[in-house]
Amino acid sequence: MTNAALNYAKLDAWVDAHFDEEVRYLQALVQVPTDTPPGNNAPHAERTAELLAAMSLSAEKHAVPAELVQAQGMESITNLIVRRRYAEGGPVVALNAHGDVVPPGEGWSHGPYSGEIVDGRLYGRAAAVSKSDFASYTFALRALEALQAEGAVTLRGGLELHFTYDEEFGGELGPGWLLKQGLSKPDLLLAAGFSYQVVTAHNGCLQLEVTVHGRASHAAYPSTGIDALQGAVAILQVLYAQNDLYQKISSEVPGINHPYLNVGRIEGGSNTNVVPGRVVFKLDRRMIPEEDPVAVEANLRELIRGAAARCGGNAAGVTVDIKRLLLARSLKPQAGNKPLVEALQKHGEAVFGEPIPTSGTPLYTDVRLYGEHGIPAAIYGAGPRTVLESNAKRADEHLQLEDLRRATQVIARTLLDLLCPAPSAT
């Protein structure tokens, strides 16, 4: 057995020996709710810091100013950074996972904050996305440092755990805030995963709120009003026709198909016997990596205003206000993440016994924020074969514990390759 193979085996054995502890850690993380909204996430950060301290890992607590948090529609955010520095001569690798999650909703057969284990599956909101990677990243770090403590390797560079709490609302007050404040600038970034694949690109997302203004009037005298709902329908027809055209545009990134648009919420009017004077709808426009987000937004605004201007009948005279809710740029494939990606693929195949492909995803993630700061990144962590298998963001979200174990081993091995120079890790 080569020296490298021996060290990989030692990492695997450490993860196996401490796996029950890792599972208890994940259960404790799941048992503290982080529903966003309302987004009162500071208590989870406090609990996470306590759990890390019990493992001799000191976490810096970076509270985001209350006025910024409240302006985003949340209640509290404290982001955490664990910094570990080793000998000079290696990269600083950051591992990022988010603790905020969507509310559990209905239909659960296991408590959404229970962390209950049934048939090798751990149930709970964020069990798969992405409190699981609080666990995989923490225990991969610990396995690596245990190997160094026994004198088997000399680590070079550094590791950072970034546990953040704003992914559901766009990430600007999570990783975005840490990076803008200059609190971290790693050389490489690994972010929470959700499938066996190594994800190297993702869609962007533009969200707009469109308010259609008319003039309310009694339904018995509709000609005295301006029907905002009729105007909204005309605008929506134009947008849905545009959505059909998006399907003719193809991305060259595997795993990403075409742009698309979704209108997810609409509300307005005051009563059945009143011509609606105001209607508000919110849309979500997913952008493939090849698209320019500035051009996409300009085109949508032009389509909406043009459709409003052409309204006739009782909708003649409607006006619109358009407010940007979110602009999340896409993550484009990067050359600088090659050492990270190749190591993940190599060890993923060794541990899982099957090839681990790279791909893009139609989701958008916090990883783009690191990419915008010039930090090469990839997405990989504990997760099922596909996102849908875990019920992520649905009832009975769960994680196969064997996937957690193996992903932790893959990550520990990958970090060894990055932080331990040859010949120890070759």
Side-chain angles (χ1 to χ4, degrees):
M1 181 180 290
T2 66
N3 194 37
L6 179 61
N7 287 332
Y8 298 147
K10 287 180 177 179
L11 289 173
D12 292 350
W14 190 97
V15 172
D16 289 341
H18 294 81
F19 190 63
D20 288 346
E21 182 185 356
E22 182 175 0
V23 171
R24 290 193 298 271
Y25 175 51
L26 177 54
Q27 285 178 305
L29 296 171
V30 169
Q31 288 163 356
V32 180
T34 49
D35 299 351
T36 304
N40 182 25
N41 292 325
H44 190 276
E46 292 291 335
R47 178 60 175 147
T48 303
E50 291 175 1
L51 295 168
L52 290 167
M55 294 181 275
S56 300
L57 294 172
S58 176
E60 302 169 9
K61 301 174 186 177
H62 297 283
V64 181
E67 61 272 17
L68 296 178
V69 177
Q70 292 164 8
Q72 284 285 86
M74 292 177 281
E75 296 181 4
S76 69
I77 294 176
T78 299
N79 297 309
L80 303 177
I81 298 178
V82 175
R83 299 182 200 268
R84 311 296 279 186
R85 292 294 183 265
Y86 311 119
E88 293 183 1
V92 174
V93 182
L95 311 173
N96 172 240
H98 68 92
D100 59 310
V101 293
V102 297
E106 299 179 351
W108 289 73
S109 58
H110 306 272
Y113 313 115
S114 67
E116 182 180 3
I117 297 173
V118 179
D119 296 331
R121 298 178 178 182
L122 191 153
Y123 286 85
R125 176 57 84 227
V129 183
S130 75
K131 290 176 182 176
S132 58
D133 285 325
F134 278 47
S136 66
Y137 293 167
T138 298
F139 276 73
L141 182 157
R142 290 185 62 195
L144 196 64
E145 292 192 348
L147 194 63
Q148 176 167 259
E150 72 172 57
V153 297
T154 298
L155 301 176
R156 298 188 181 279
L159 280 177
E160 295 182 0
L161 303 180
H162 295 182
F163 294 153
T164 55
Y165 292 89
D166 181 32
E167 198 273 347
E168 298 298 344
F169 277 24
E172 294 292 346
L173 298 183
W177 189 79
L178 292 177
L179 294 166
K180 287 177 182 176
Q181 295 297 311
L183 294 168
S184 178
K185 183 66 185 290
D187 299 301
L188 288 169
L189 182 281
L190 179 61
F194 29 75
S195 70
Y196 288 3
Q197 296 174 325
V198 179
V199 175
T200 56
H202 67 62
N203 272 351
C205 179
L206 171 67
Q207 293 180 353
L208 299 177
E209 178 183 84
V210 179
T211 302
V212 184
H213 299 281
R215 184 173 64 239
S217 68
H218 199 293
Y221 306 98
S223 62
T224 64
I226 298 175
D227 192 337
L229 181 55
Q230 185 178 339
V233 169
I235 296 168
L236 290 171
Q237 288 175 332
V238 169
L239 291 176
Y240 283 124
Q242 184 67 29
N243 200 34
D244 291 338
L245 297 177
Y246 290 151
Q247 297 180 34
K248 300 178 181 180
I249 303 170
S250 298
S251 173
E252 296 183 0
V253 178
I256 296 177
N257 295 323
H258 54 74
Y260 54 94
L261 179 149
N262 180 67
V263 177
R265 184 174 178 83
I266 183 168
E267 56 187 23
S270 59
N271 206 349
T272 53
N273 63 349
V274 178
V275 172
R278 181 175 177 271
V279 172
V280 180
F281 65 87
K282 297 180 180 181
L283 66 87
D284 178 304
R285 167 66 157 86
R286 297 298 165 117
M287 300 174 286
I288 61 176
E290 292 88 347
E291 289 186 293
D292 175 5
V294 174
V296 168
E297 182 171 1
N299 176 253
L300 275 177
R301 287 177 178 270
E302 181 180 353
L303 286 172
I304 293 166
R305 295 193 185 283
R310 292 191 298 272
C311 284
N314 275 10
V318 297
T319 60
V320 291
D321 291 328
I322 305 171
K323 176 184 177 183
R324 181 202 292 172
L325 301 176
L326 171 71
L327 178 59
R329 291 175 173 80
S330 62
L331 176 69
K332 303 178 188 299
Q334 305 162 299
N337 64 7
K338 184 177 180 181
L340 173 60
V341 170
E342 290 182 345
L344 289 167
Q345 288 187 283
K346 178 180 74 173
H347 295 299
E349 183 169 0
V351 172
F352 282 80
E354 60 182 78
I356 304 297
T358 62
S359 71
T361 177
L363 306 170
Y364 72 90
T365 77
D366 284 351
V367 183
R368 74 189 192 281
L369 298 164
Y370 292 90
E372 289 171 14
H373 281 76
I375 301 165
I379 298 172
Y380 181 82
R385 191 174 301 275
T386 67
V387 178
L388 293 178
E389 290 177 27
S390 69
N391 281 355
K393 299 195 176 183
R394 297 183 293 169
D396 282 344
E397 180 177 348
H398 62 272
L399 179 71
Q400 292 278 0
L401 292 180
E402 186 58 24
D403 285 343
L404 175 64
R405 180 201 304 267
R406 294 188 293 181
T408 305
Q409 291 171 337
V410 171
I411 295 159
R413 287 166 165 237
T414 296
L415 294 174
L416 180 62
D417 282 4
L418 297 172
L419 300 179
C420 188
S424 297
T426 59

